[in-house]
Amino acid sequence: MSNVLILGANGSIARHAIDLFLNETDAQLTLYLRNSHRLRNINSNRVRIIEGDVLDIEKLKEAMIGQDVVYANLAGDLERMAKNIVEAMNAIGVKRLIFISSMGIYDEVPGEKYGSILDPYRKSAAIIEASDLDYTILRPAWLTDKDEIDYETTQKGEPFKGSVVSRESVAHLVVKLATSPELEVRRSLGVNKPVR
């Protein structure tokens, strides 16, 4: 059994991941978010909810205690959030991090240059890559709400292969990584639906 801390637990990918964790694993979940009233009813004795901000380093450290995996699904001041996550994980001794970023942060999408709009994603990824954590950064393509699990991954340095992927697919990969701690450690993965 693993203990998984989900930061930004009301995010659109996180909501799919929570369902998968509860239906397909025996993981204990700690849902960390600023406004817990936004969560739909989750009726499980395997779920604990903490209302807090990732920018609150002391509360974040407290939430890390006893966790095996941290899955971050965040928006906002990503650079500061990444710094806090790395600091809190180091302080508490948690090693495994799964961090959702964006495609295009390494200019890996053929024919596309996203410019400064992706700087928060680039800077937060650089902070995580400079840490000694067992991280996996996920760089999803444009997200869809399709009810499907259909994806492939590319490594950092490889060109992106597709332009879309379902939130459910990314959530499936998150759960796979969280339940297989040795998988894709210290990697940054592009995630897209295969083009057929």
Side-chain angles (χ1 to χ4, degrees), residues 64-70 88-96 133:
M64 298 267 179
I65 295 170
Q67 303 294 341
D68 302 302
V69 178
V70 175
M89 290 181 73
N90 284 334
I92 303 303
V94 184
K95 292 289 284 181
R96 186 70 170 118
L133 297 175

Side-chain angles (χ1 to χ4, degrees), residues 78-178:
L78 291 175
E79 187 176 359
R80 283 181 56 209
M81 289 175 176
K83 285 179 184 171
N84 276 6
I85 291 167
V86 170
E87 180 182 336
M89 290 181 73
N90 284 334
I92 303 303
V94 184
K95 292 289 284 181
R96 186 70 170 118
L97 172 64
I98 301 162
F99 189 89
I100 304 293
S101 184
S102 172
M103 71 172 174
I105 63 171
Y106 310 118
D107 290 329
E108 77 278 27
V109 181
E112 297 286 347
K113 294 282 184 194
Y114 292 103
S116 61
I117 194 167
L118 291 184
D119 283 351
Y121 295 94
R122 291 185 182 102
K123 290 175 181 173
S124 57
I127 289 164
I128 291 163
E129 289 171 324
S131 76
D132 63 354
L133 297 175
D134 293 341
Y135 67 82
T136 305
I137 295 171
L138 298 183
R139 295 173 281 117
W142 295 106
L143 295 166
T144 74
D145 286 319
K146 286 193 174 174
D147 182 18
E148 64 182 10
I149 296 173
D150 186 13
Y151 64 92
E152 64 185 351
T153 60
T154 51
Q155 297 289 339
K156 181 179 179 180
E158 293 179 343
F160 232 80
K161 293 182 179 176
S163 59
V164 298
V165 69
S166 70
R167 287 174 172 86
E168 192 169 346
S169 292
V170 180
H172 182 270
L173 180 55
V174 167
V175 173
K176 184 177 174 183
L177 292 167

Side-chain angles (χ1 to χ4, degrees), residues 24-43:
E24 298 183 7
T25 78
D26 61 355
Q28 298 287 324
L29 304 181
T30 301
L31 310 183
Y32 189 94
L33 69 167
R34 286 178 293 178
N35 300 306
S36 63
H37 69 274
R38 294 172 60 198
L39 279 176
R40 61 184 161 73
N41 278 343
I42 299 176
N43 190 14

